[in-house]
């Protein structure tokens, strides 16, 4: 009976998330509701306290977000975007997949899907539309590249997998590198196929009131500034791959701070302004990213109290095939219906991934699959914030954008499952 009530609460939670009520409030209240039904009102509060002590996650996430804000205020991100966009003008028929893959690459530094959508989309979407590409395809191209953040060793979802699997950031990224790259390529070229089949790859004419002025030629790229957003990732990779052994002792937060200093020396923006924006990013990351993680763990605490966690794990142990399918399509479906790649992945990786060995899987494989699956799902969700931004920039419907991304994301999810869970 308790499990039945828990399932009803979860369905209500998903409905409210689809309706775009405040994510943290819904997850927190749902967790408390399940705990009260189970007669364990302290369970979600203990989960809240435990989440607040996740120091390893906290350090990685806030430093990455602080660095991202510094890249914005120093405009280093803008120089990186423009440095990569100029060659796209010569891409010809490959402009569609090239735009997606460029966004995929930029997203490793601008890890917020909504932030990356706004920063890259504001430049690339008008460029593609001016080249005759249909607005829905142009918008889909950008949002299809916003899960490249999983390449970043300091990304929140990677940090969660590291914590659960007792691994290292570079090992986690290296483990899913090929699968993630394959899914990105599938997403990019599937859009090219969709565009050709729908005859949306050329011939679109911008209305007179939306004519695009070519400003790229007037923007002078400073390649030194363009390199700065990539500095922390380069330091972490070179250290952890033992190319430069002395860098191996660098933590993610250390690499981000070095990147901040590089931004100052290259741009000479006021140190006070850089400091202010860094801590602004730190505060935002705690309130938004870490806030969702905390509330997701409260939600998990409620599920645990009502018996859903134990029932789910027992079902997976009885049939390991369910575990593999659930790791891929569970977070994938949640990503579609909620428009968030975080909530479902966090909940799954905190509840199920620690038991991966019982299903015959490695925690790194299962954790990465859940995180990538959730990201693929929200990439084809019409209620995802970043997709709505892209659709707005293109002047089209979010549903039209989602429909064009759907085939590629579904195929990418299956391929990723094959590469990570059935190897």
């Amino acid at each position: 009976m308790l499990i039945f009530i828990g399932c009803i609460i979860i369905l209500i939670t998903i409905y409210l998330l689809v309706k775009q009520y405040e994510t943290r409030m819904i997850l927190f209240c749902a967790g408390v509701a399940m705990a009260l039904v189970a007669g364990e009102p302290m369970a979600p509060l203990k989960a809240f306290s435990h989440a607040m002590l996740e120091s390893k996650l906290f350090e990685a996430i806030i430093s990455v977000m602080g660095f991202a804000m510094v890249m914005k205020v120093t405009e280093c991100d803008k120089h990186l975007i423009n440095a990569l966009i100029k060659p796209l003008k010569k891409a010809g028929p490959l402009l569609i997949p090239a735009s997606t893959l460029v966004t995929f690459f930029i997203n490793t530094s601008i890890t917020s899907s909504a932030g990356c959508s706004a920063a890259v989309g504001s430049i690339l979407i008008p460029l593609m539309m001016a080249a005759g590409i249909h607005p829905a395809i142009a918008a889909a191209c950008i949002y299809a590249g916003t899960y490249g953040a999983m390449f970043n060793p300091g990304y929140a979802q990677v940090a969660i997998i590291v914590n659960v699997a007792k691994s290292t950031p570079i090992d986690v990224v290296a483990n899913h590198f090929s699968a993630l790259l394959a899914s990105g390529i599938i997403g990019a070229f599937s859009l090219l196929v969709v565009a050709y089949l729908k005859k949306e790859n050329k011939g679109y004419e911008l209305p007179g009131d939306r004519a695009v002025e070519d400003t790229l030629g007037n923007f002078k790229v400073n390649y030194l500034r363009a390199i700065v957003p990539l500095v922390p990732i380069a330091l972490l990779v070179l250290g952890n791959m033992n190319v430069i052994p002395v860098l191996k002792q660098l933590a993610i937060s250390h690499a981000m701070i070095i990147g901040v200093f590089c931004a100052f020396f290259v741009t000479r923006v006021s140190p006070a302004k850089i400091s202010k924006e860094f801590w602004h990013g730190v505060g935002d990351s705690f309130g938004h990213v870490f806030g969702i993680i905390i509330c997701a763990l409260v939600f998990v605490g409620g599920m645990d109290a009502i018996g859903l966690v134990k029932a789910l794990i027992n079902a997976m142990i009885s049939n390991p095939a369910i575990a593999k399918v659930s790791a891929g399509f569970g977070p994938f479906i949640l990503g579609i219906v909620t428009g968030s790649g975080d909530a479902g992945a966090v909940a799954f990786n905190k509840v199920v991934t620690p038991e991966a060995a019982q299903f015959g899987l490695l925690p790194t494989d299962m954790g990465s699959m859940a995180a990538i699956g959730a990201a693929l799902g929200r990439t084809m969700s019409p209620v995802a914030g970043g997709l709505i931004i892209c659709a707005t920039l293109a002047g089209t419907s979010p549903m039209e954008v989602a429909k064009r991304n759907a085939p590629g994301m579904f195929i990418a999810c299956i391929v990723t499952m094959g590469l990570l869970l059935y190897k």
Side-chain angles (χ1 to χ4, degrees):
M1 182 63 180
L2 286 179
I3 292 177
F4 176 73
I5 295 173
C7 289
I8 292 176
I9 293 174
I10 290 174
L11 290 174
I12 293 171
T13 301
I14 292 172
Y15 173 79
L16 294 174
L17 289 172
V18 170
K19 288 295 183 181
Q20 295 186 291
Y21 286 89
E22 213 285 316
T23 302
R24 290 158 294 187
M25 176 187 71
I26 298 304
L27 291 173
F28 188 92
C29 291
V32 171
M34 285 188 281
L36 290 175
V37 169
E40 295 187 32
M42 290 302 294
L45 300 179
K46 289 178 180 177
F48 181 89
S49 297
H50 178 71
M52 294 291 283
L53 298 175
E54 294 272 15
S55 57
K56 291 182 180 179
L57 288 181
F58 182 73
E59 180 183 357
I61 292 169
I62 67 170
S63 59
V64 169
M65 294 300 288
F67 176 73
M69 289 297 291
V70 172
M71 293 304 95
K72 184 176 180 181
V73 74
T74 57
E75 296 191 342
C76 289
D77 60 346
K78 186 182 292 185
H79 285 268
L80 174 61
I81 291 167
N82 278 275
L84 294 171
I85 284 174
K86 286 187 177 182
L88 288 179
K89 299 185 76 175
K90 303 175 183 178
L94 294 178
L95 178 59
I96 290 172
S99 298
T100 299
L101 292 174
V102 163
T103 307
F104 202 64
F105 176 69
I106 291 172
N107 190 226
T108 63
S109 297
I110 308 175
T111 54
S112 162
S113 63
C116 187
S117 297
V120 181
S122 61
I123 300 173
L124 258 186
I125 289 175
L127 173 66
M128 285 187 282
M129 290 167 61
I133 295 170
H134 191 277
I137 290 290
C141 281
I142 302 306
Y143 203 56
T146 56
Y147 55 94
M150 286 294 293
F151 282 129
N152 188 330
Y155 183 51
Q157 293 295 342
V158 172
I160 291 170
I161 299 167
V162 168
N163 192 44
V164 172
K166 309 303 180 189
S167 185
T168 67
I170 295 298
D171 285 343
V172 169
V173 173
N175 184 63
H176 66 230
F177 183 89
S178 298
L180 184 63
L181 182 61
S183 70
I185 293 172
I186 289 168
F189 282 90
S190 67
L191 276 171
L192 180 61
V193 174
V194 170
Y196 268 93
L197 291 176
K198 296 177 73 68
K199 295 180 171 56
E200 294 177 345
N201 60 305
K202 60 182 179 180
Y204 177 78
E205 294 185 7
L206 283 170
D209 61 342
R210 297 202 68 196
V212 178
E213 180 184 353
D214 184 3
T215 58
L216 288 178
N218 299 325
F219 189 94
K220 187 175 181 180
V221 175
N222 182 318
Y223 288 95
L224 197 56
R225 290 193 181 201
I227 290 171
V228 171
L230 307 176
V231 168
I233 297 174
L235 292 175
L236 291 169
V237 171
L238 291 172
N240 283 272
M241 292 184 71
N242 224 27
V243 177
I244 304 178
V246 71
L247 296 177
K248 196 165 188 176
Q249 58 188 317
L250 280 181
I252 291 170
S253 58
H254 303 160
M256 297 301 156
I257 292 170
I258 291 172
V260 169
F261 277 101
C262 289
F264 166 70
F265 289 122
V266 168
T267 65
R268 296 294 179 176
V269 171
S270 163
K273 191 172 185 180
I274 287 178
S275 176
K276 181 180 178 181
E277 290 304 314
F278 179 83
W279 293 109
H280 181 197
V282 166
D284 278 354
S285 69
F286 188 85
H288 296 287
V289 181
F290 205 68
I292 291 176
I293 292 173
I294 291 171
C295 293
L297 292 180
V298 170
F299 179 70
V300 169
M303 289 176 61
D304 194 26
I306 211 166
L308 277 169
V309 172
K310 187 176 181 181
L312 176 63
I313 291 174
N314 287 339
M316 289 184 173
I317 292 173
S318 302
N319 190 348
I322 294 178
K324 293 182 178 181
V325 174
S326 298
F329 282 108
F332 179 76
I333 293 169
L334 278 173
I336 294 172
V337 299
T338 66
S340 169
D342 290 331
V346 171
F348 190 95
N349 279 334
K350 286 293 185 179
V351 172
V352 182
T353 301
E355 311 296 330
Q358 298 189 58
F359 317 133
L361 295 171
L362 294 173
T364 48
D365 290 339
M366 180 174 265
S368 290
M369 184 63 246
I372 295 171
L376 291 169
R378 63 102 172 124
T379 304
M380 57 175 281
S381 170
V383 297
L387 188 143
I388 292 170
I389 290 172
C390 290
T392 302
L393 289 170
T396 188
S397 160
M399 184 57 74
E400 291 301 312
V401 178
K403 286 194 300 186
R404 285 158 177 79
N405 265 339
M409 297 305 108
F410 184 75
I411 295 170
C413 187
I414 293 174
V415 170
T416 305
M417 285 177 64
L419 291 173
L420 285 176
L421 304 182
Y422 292 90
K423 57 186 180 181

